[in-house]
Each structure stands twice: as structure tokens, then as C-alpha cells.
Amino acid sequence: MTIHIPTPLRTYTNGQDSIPVNAGTVSAALEELVTAHPGLRANLFGADGKLRSFVNVYLNDEDIRYLSMKEDSPTSPADELTIIPSIAGGC
């Protein structure tokens, strides 16, 4: 499967905009990602090891927060994960 990396986090992936991983679940895919690119861990996960609340992850076009199995949702090699950090601020 492929994980798409948002522009602000590409500094942790040597500029790569997508990373191929071989994993059977969303959580395994994210773990493989942060193992290969350790700088991402603090940006994606809190000290408790859970995905940060301001990080949105989509499995294909579905927000994983609304999937019945959430981060334990199964994945296939053709799937795509997209990481979208929330952005706040402005006037």
C-alpha cells in the first residue's frame, strides 16, 4: 500500500510525498512508516502511543475515525493511506 505524506511532514521523509509499505492493517502501516522515518513519530503519535487528535488519516476515501475497526481496519496492497494534519489559526 502507499502512504501519502503531507507537505509539512516531508522533511521527515527526505522529501518523499508517498511511502510504500507492506502492512495488513492501518496501525501496522503507520508503525512501519514511523519505524522507517522515526522523526514522524512525535508528529503523528502522542506520548501515550495513540494517534494525535489533530492528525486525520484516510484509508482510501474513508476517515479511519468512522470505520468500525478504526486503526485496526484491514488493508490491501492496492489501498492508499492519506495523512492530513489539521491546520488552525488565522483571524
Side-chain angles (χ1 to χ4, degrees):
M1 78 178 312
T2 301
I3 301 178
H4 297 284
I5 309 299
T7 303
L9 298 179
R10 291 179 191 164
T11 57
Y12 302 102
T13 62
N14 299 318
Q16 294 177 290
D17 61 354
S18 61
I19 307 291
V21 297
N22 185 15
T25 65
V26 170
S27 61
L30 292 172
E31 183 59 34
E32 186 173 327
L33 175 68
V34 298
T35 298
H37 302 280
L40 285 172
R41 188 175 297 277
N43 290 281
L44 300 179
F45 296 97
D48 60 0
K50 294 186 181 192
L51 198 59
R52 292 185 180 274
S53 62
F54 59 83
V55 175
N56 301 310
V57 178
Y58 288 81
L59 176 58
N60 300 314
D61 292 327
E62 299 290 328
D63 188 332
I64 65 166
R65 293 175 295 184
Y66 301 109
L67 297 176
S68 62
M69 297 180 71
K70 302 195 184 318
E71 293 174 31
D72 292 327
S73 296
T75 60
S76 73
D79 285 336
E80 296 184 353
L81 276 185
T82 303
I83 299 170
I84 302 176
S86 295
I87 299 174
C91 305

